[in-house]
């Protein structure tokens, strides 16, 4: 019974977390956490580098002291003061021991600094990779969200009956446009009919005038006197004149 209760609670918490978590916000928070680690890493690197610099200065100090004490030992030997030379030699041995210890610490410090730099380079490379990956994922998520919204809109056309309404309205507008075009065509025909009749009469008159003109040119009709209407000359018969006996 207890296991079932624990399993139910875990499933409820899992469902709650799945519903409330936003992958894009989580990715943004992860990128922010990565960016915040860079200053802390630089601070640690600065401390390691400062330790290396301090050891290098101590090394230089020991080297200078060793050179100085070596010179004093030689001078003491040359002037016959071996006791003084021995004292300087004792100090020289201490400096050499300190230099050897310093050298070991310096090697370790430099190795630590080099490793820290290697870790930083690897971290920055991974940070850049994760940043690009997260940006691409978020951009893809936005595109997918927009596509889902468009798909929902297209599906709602049929679900809500928009398709039927759309087609019906298009059909009605097309029918109305066809009716208006027919009315316009009929109106134009009613206006153009008298004009067409007049044009036809004009064409007939022009044809008759053309025939008259051709007759005049052929000598089959007399020219019309000014101010009056002439009658056509009698047609001439070709050949000899035949007398008609009464």
């Amino acid at each position: 019974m207890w296991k079932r209760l624990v399993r139910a609670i875990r499933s409820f918490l899992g469902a709650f977390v799945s519903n409330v978590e936003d992958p894009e916000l989580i990715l943004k928070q992860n990128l922010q956490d990565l960016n915040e680690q860079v200053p802390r890493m630089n601070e640690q690197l600065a401390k390691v580098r400062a330790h290396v610099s301090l050891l290098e200065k101590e090394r230089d100090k020991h080297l200078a002291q060793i050179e100085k004490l070596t010179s004093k030992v030689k001078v003491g030997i040359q002037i016959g003061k071996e006791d003084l030379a021995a004292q300087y030699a004792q100090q020289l041995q201490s400096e050499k021991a300190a230099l050897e210890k310093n050298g070991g610490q310096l090697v370790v410090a430099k190795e630590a600094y080099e490793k820290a730099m290697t870790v930083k380079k690897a971290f920055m490379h991974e940070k850049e990779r994760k940043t690009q990956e997260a940006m691409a994922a978020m951009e893809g998520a936005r595109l997918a969200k927009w596509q889902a919204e468009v798909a929902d809109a297209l599906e709602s056309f049929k679900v809500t009956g928009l398709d039927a309404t759309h087609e019906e309205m298009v059909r009605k507008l097309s029918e109305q446009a066809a009716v208006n075009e027919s009315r316009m065509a009929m109106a134009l025909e009613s206006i153009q009919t008298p004009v067409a009749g007049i044009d036809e009469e004009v064409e007939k008159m022009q044809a008759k005038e053309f025939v008259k003109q051709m007759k005049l040119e052929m000598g089959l009709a007399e020219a019309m006197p000014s101010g009056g209407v002439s009658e056509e000359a009698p047609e001439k018969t070709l050949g000899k004149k035949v007398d008609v006996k009464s």
Side-chain angles (χ1 to χ4, degrees):
M1 185 66 181
W2 174 251
K3 291 182 178 179
R4 292 176 60 187
L5 179 61
V6 171
R7 186 164 57 248
I9 293 174
R10 290 178 61 187
S11 63
F12 172 77
L13 292 177
F16 176 76
V17 171
S18 298
N19 291 329
V20 298
E21 69 178 0
D22 187 340
E24 185 173 352
L25 292 178
I26 292 175
L27 281 176
K28 288 182 179 180
Q29 184 62 45
N30 290 342
L31 294 179
Q32 184 176 352
D33 293 341
L34 290 175
N35 290 330
E36 289 176 354
Q37 290 183 26
V38 175
R40 293 197 293 267
M41 185 176 295
N42 290 335
E43 184 179 354
Q44 293 298 325
L45 283 171
K47 290 181 179 179
V48 176
R49 185 70 184 98
H51 184 55
V52 172
S53 298
L54 180 62
L55 290 174
E56 288 176 344
K57 289 180 180 179
E58 289 180 358
R59 178 200 60 191
D60 295 341
K61 183 178 178 182
H62 288 311
L63 289 173
Q65 191 69 13
I66 288 173
E67 183 179 358
K68 183 178 179 180
L69 289 171
T70 301
S71 177
K72 287 182 178 182
V73 170
K74 290 179 179 180
V75 171
I77 294 174
Q78 288 175 355
I79 64 177
K81 294 184 177 182
E82 294 184 358
D83 294 339
L84 183 61
Q87 292 179 0
Y88 288 137
Q90 188 175 3
Q91 294 178 12
L92 178 60
Q93 294 298 323
S94 298
E95 287 293 332
K96 286 183 177 181
L99 178 62
E100 184 178 358
K101 182 180 179 180
N102 173 270
Q105 293 176 344
L106 184 58
V107 170
V108 173
K110 286 183 176 181
E111 289 179 353
Y113 179 73
E114 291 176 358
K115 289 181 180 179
M117 287 297 298
T118 302
V119 170
K120 180 185 177 182
K121 290 179 180 179
F123 173 81
M124 296 301 294
H125 177 74
E126 185 66 12
K127 170 180 169 294
E128 181 65 21
R129 187 186 70 80
K130 288 185 178 295
T131 299
Q132 293 179 358
E133 187 178 30
M135 296 300 293
M138 287 187 288
E139 186 65 25
R142 296 190 191 100
L143 178 59
K145 183 179 179 181
W146 175 78
Q147 290 175 340
E149 293 175 354
V150 172
D152 291 340
L154 292 175
E155 290 176 357
S156 68
F157 288 167
K158 295 182 179 180
V159 175
T160 58
L162 291 179
D163 272 356
T165 305
H166 176 79
E167 293 175 359
E168 182 181 357
M169 294 301 104
V170 170
R171 179 177 55 80
K172 287 185 177 182
L173 288 176
S174 299
E175 291 177 354
Q176 185 177 358
V179 170
N180 291 335
E181 289 178 1
S182 299
R183 292 178 58 192
M184 177 60 69
M186 293 174 63
L188 291 175
E189 289 178 359
S190 63
I191 294 174
Q192 292 177 357
T193 299
V195 176
I198 294 173
D199 292 341
E200 186 177 354
E201 292 296 329
V202 171
E203 290 178 356
K204 288 181 179 180
M205 293 176 63
Q206 290 177 348
K208 290 181 178 179
E209 290 297 329
F210 180 75
V211 171
K212 291 179 180 180
Q213 185 66 30
M214 290 298 295
K215 287 182 177 182
L216 289 174
E217 292 178 358
M218 295 173 63
L220 301 177
E222 296 181 356
M224 181 176 56
S226 60
V229 180
S230 66
E231 295 182 356
E232 296 181 0
E235 296 183 357
K236 296 181 179 180
T237 57
L238 298 176
K240 295 181 178 180
K241 184 177 179 181
V242 179
D243 296 331
V244 179
K245 296 179 179 181
S246 54

